[in-house]
Amino acid sequence: MGQLGLRTSRLGKQREMRVAIDLMRLGEVFSAICPDSPFDLVLCQGGKMYRVEVTGATPTKNGGLSHPHKKTSDRYDILAAVLLDGSIVYEGLPDA
């Protein structure tokens, strides 16, 4: 079981849907069907495509975020970290 007593796969899918809905304000969003895809979503904005990886994260004492298993940025363009309160922190998000 993951955070909030949900199965890890269900919690991950909920995070992906939360991010997808949020990103729809910037362009079209597509979800990966393959469960072992190197990224979760694709954002199409202004003729460009961005690979989006979604992860859970917790704030650190120094004000950063802890998401230890998502450090290889060559597999995605945007990292969307979803906090326990449901807020989303993006790394690499292009300007709207």
Side-chain angles (χ1 to χ4, degrees), residues 16-69:
E16 289 174 24
M17 294 299 104
R18 180 179 295 278
V19 171
I21 291 167
D22 187 57
L23 289 177
M24 286 171 57
R25 65 188 163 81
L26 301 177
E28 295 177 322
V29 179
F30 299 88
S31 179
I33 294 173
C34 184
D36 59 348
S37 174
F39 49 87
D40 299 309
L41 305 168
V42 174
L43 169 64
C44 296
Q45 178 192 44
K48 295 184 180 179
M49 293 174 44
Y50 301 93
R51 301 165 298 168
V52 182
E53 179 64 20
V54 179
T55 187
T58 54
T60 61
K61 293 178 182 177
N62 65 359
L65 293 176
S66 174
H67 46 81
H69 61 287

